[in-house]
Amino acid sequence: MDNCIFCQIVAGDIPSRTVYEDDDVLAFLDVNPLAPGHTLVIPKDHHETLTELPEDEGDAVFSALHRLAPAVEVAVDAPASTVAFNNGEAAGQEVPHVHGHIVPRFDDDGGRPIHALVSDQPELHDDELDDIAAAIAEER
Ligand SMILES: [Zn+2]
């Protein structure tokens, strides 16, 4: 995709601080880091969301995340990290090319856990939860 900033990084048309590369995956420092070492892991092929990402490329992305998260933590002396995807525009995805974030976390960083993503948590009853679980199991 010519107008995709991440495809331009993959093509070498835009410079990046690359930390990992293989046939399917590229990882580089986020230009707008939330913490020192904030790293993005992307498939080299253009896919907008995890829904469009073929399973084998998803495997490659996860393998890279799995290998890189501890490397990032060691490199910046972080005791933990948040590993996450903004999957789709409504979730806050700004670049429409799948990317996983590795954000190093520190005890006093003021950051929040995944369970603080929304301010209004829904109250779901047992029958609703049963229906949702069944619907997911049917779709997958
Ligand atoms: Zn792209």
Side-chain angles (χ1 to χ4, degrees):
M1 288 267 291
D2 288 348
N3 59 354
C4 171
I5 189 168
F6 287 170
C7 285
Q8 290 172 316
I9 288 173
V10 170
D13 296 336
I14 293 177
S16 71
R17 290 188 172 85
T18 300
V19 300
Y20 176 80
E21 181 171 14
D22 63 29
D23 288 346
D24 302 311
V25 172
L26 186 70
F28 50 90
L29 295 186
D30 193 309
V31 293
N32 187 20
L34 296 176
H38 183 171
T39 296
L40 301 180
V41 178
I42 69 169
K44 284 185 170 177
D45 289 348
H46 184 87
H47 303 284
E48 191 166 328
T49 66
L50 288 171
T51 306
E52 284 107 45
L53 186 67
E55 194 165 325
D56 59 334
E57 291 182 55
D59 290 347
V61 168
F62 189 81
S63 290
L65 284 167
H66 184 242
R67 240 172 293 136
L68 285 167
V72 168
E73 290 177 13
V74 168
V76 298
D77 201 21
S81 56
T82 295
V83 179
F85 292 78
N86 294 320
N87 192 35
E89 207 176 335
Q93 184 178 355
E94 289 179 354
V95 176
H97 181 134
V98 177
H99 53 288
H101 293 260
I102 302 170
V103 183
R105 299 297 303 270
F106 301 90
D107 287 331
D108 57 353
D109 66 8
R112 308 176 76 198
I114 294 285
H115 266 85
L117 272 181
V118 296
S119 48
D120 281 326
Q121 246 182 292
E123 220 167 281
L124 297 167
H125 300 287
D126 284 344
D127 54 343
E128 291 172 287
L129 293 168
D130 291 343
D131 289 347
I132 292 167
I136 294 169
E138 222 167 272
E139 279 297 321
R140 62 119 187 90

